[in-house]
């Protein structure tokens, strides 16, 4: 995705989601500075259906997520991941914290 398009998109998503991460519901920061973009609360564009699973760049498949959530999602589907992040599924949180991976829960 080109930087200009990405920036436009991230702005739109930022407005749509009131500047909050689609997973943990925490506020994200929107910055074009490289250093800021390395922060855990930096805004990133998230593919709800992962690109690896054939997810497209269509707006319906895109959401704003903080870098921390985006980096930590791995192969979990986005709805499960969101519940996990919001503490709705405590067992998942524990098992992921222990580093046992998500594959066995499929
Ligand atoms: Zn988040």
């Amino acid at each position: 995705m080109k930087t200009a398009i990405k920036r436009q998109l991230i702005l739109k998503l930022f407005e749509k989601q009131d500047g909050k991460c689609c997973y943990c519901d925490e506020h994200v920061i929107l910055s074009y500075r490289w250093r800021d973009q390395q922060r855990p609360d930096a805004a990133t564009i998230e593919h709800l259906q992962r690109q690896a699973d054939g997810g497209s760049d269509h707006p319906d498949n895109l959401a704003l997520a903080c870098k921390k959530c985006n980096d930590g999602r791995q192969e979990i589907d986005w709805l499960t991941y969101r519940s996990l992040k919001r503490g709705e599924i405590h067992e998942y949180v524990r098992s992921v914290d222990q580093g046992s991976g998500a594959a066995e829960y499929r």
Side-chain angles (χ1 to χ4, degrees):
M1 214 183 287
K2 280 186 182 161
T3 307
I5 295 172
K6 219 170 162 177
R7 285 182 177 181
Q8 243 178 20
L9 194 69
I10 217 161
L11 266 175
K12 260 190 208 166
L13 291 170
F14 194 86
E15 274 177 34
K16 195 172 133 189
Q17 296 177 210
D18 292 328
K20 289 179 185 173
C21 170
C22 68
Y23 295 125
C24 63
D25 221 22
E26 298 287 328
H27 282 279
V28 296
I29 58 143
L30 199 55
S31 172
Y32 297 143
R33 288 192 310 188
W34 185 86
R35 269 185 64 158
D36 288 338
Q37 288 173 0
Q38 309 312 308
R39 291 169 47 148
D41 58 349
T44 64
I45 295 174
E46 168 74 340
H47 288 76
L48 295 176
Q49 187 186 8
R50 299 184 318 130
Q51 286 174 298
D53 295 332
S56 72
D57 285 340
H58 190 277
D60 286 349
N61 191 43
L62 301 172
L64 194 74
C66 69
K67 184 170 170 13
K68 197 174 145 202
C69 288
N70 201 338
D71 285 351
R73 181 177 160 203
Q74 298 172 335
E75 293 183 358
I76 311 168
D77 73 89
W78 73 273
L79 265 176
T80 306
Y81 190 57
R82 185 168 74 169
S83 306
L84 188 157
K85 278 288 168 185
R86 296 182 180 194
E88 290 162 13
I89 321 178
H90 296 283
E91 297 79 49
Y92 274 72
V93 177
R94 272 204 300 275
S95 58
V96 168
D97 282 347
Q98 285 161 12
S100 59
E104 61 195 271
Y105 294 98
R106 295 200 149 195

